[in-house]
Amino acid sequence: MRRRTVTAGNLEELLQVTAPAQASEQAAATPAPAPAPTPAPREDHGLRTEFEFELPRGYVDETGTVHRHGTMRLATARDELRPQIDLRVKENPAYLSVVLLSQVITRLGTISDVHAGIVERMYATDVAFLQDFYRRVNSEGHTRAAVTCPHCEGGFEVDLSGGRLGES
């Protein structure tokens, strides 16, 4: 018996070749089926997948423009696995966060193509902020942090996603 390798591209051809003659005659006599209905748009199930943030210092591009506001999406398993095969990460494991952040930041100011080179040129305080933001978004599912006032020692929550104190 001869073995065949089937791929998605030649599946239809294989079915036509191996189909009995009677079945192909019936198929020719019956009208073509109506096209499948288009799937309904996906419902929003309340899962938040993108989070806005404001960098403490801001990324300064080559023209001197400061970019502080950005958007980060939830990470996928692929996002976490891909840096493991990156040669830069293999040479320097500390580079992992640079590669990972560059994959999940979808916008930074007017920059929509955020790559590792941009994250490399960020100030250390901004990278540390983004690492913590990533951890909160992907582990805890929110951007709030519990803090304690150094003066009155009262506890309250702040939203790390941006905005200055007193702004809404």
Side-chain angles (χ1 to χ4, degrees):
M1 177 174 211
R2 188 170 163 219
R3 187 176 270 211
R4 277 195 169 173
T5 303
V6 178
T7 63
N10 69 357
L11 182 60
E12 288 297 320
E13 176 187 329
L14 184 62
L15 288 174
Q16 288 176 356
V17 170
T18 58
Q22 186 180 18
S24 61
E25 290 172 7
Q26 282 182 337
T30 56
T38 55
R42 290 185 177 199
E43 283 186 39
D44 180 18
H45 295 287
L47 177 63
R48 187 172 171 197
T49 59
E50 287 203 339
F51 298 83
E52 293 189 4
F53 61 83
E54 183 177 342
L55 295 175
R57 299 225 184 267
Y59 167 71
V60 182
D61 66 15
E62 50 281 334
T63 65
T65 305
V66 178
H67 303 272
R68 294 187 70 200
H69 298 276
T71 307
M72 180 184 292
R73 66 173 173 76
L74 287 176
T76 63
R78 174 177 277 174
D79 293 326
E80 297 225 347
L81 293 171
R82 187 177 294 155
Q84 301 297 328
I85 60 171
D86 192 299
L87 293 177
R88 298 168 294 187
V89 174
K90 287 183 177 183
E91 290 175 7
N92 181 2
Y95 203 75
L96 176 105
S97 64
V98 171
V99 174
L100 188 56
L101 289 172
S102 70
Q103 292 180 153
V104 296
I105 297 172
T106 57
R107 182 185 54 79
L108 184 59
T110 57
I111 303 168
S112 59
D113 180 28
V114 179
H115 51 80
I118 290 174
V119 179
E120 284 177 350
R121 292 188 300 270
M122 287 183 176
Y123 294 112
T125 52
D126 289 337
V127 173
F129 168 83
L130 289 168
Q131 288 170 331
D132 183 56
F133 193 74
Y134 175 91
R135 183 186 56 77
R136 287 184 186 281
V137 164
N138 288 287
S139 298
E140 300 170 18
H142 60 77
T143 59
R144 297 179 308 277
V147 296
T148 304
C149 175
H151 299 290
C152 69
E153 296 186 18
F156 58 96
E157 280 190 345
V158 294
D159 189 353
L160 298 175
S161 63
R164 297 275 184 225
L165 289 176
E167 292 181 1
S168 50

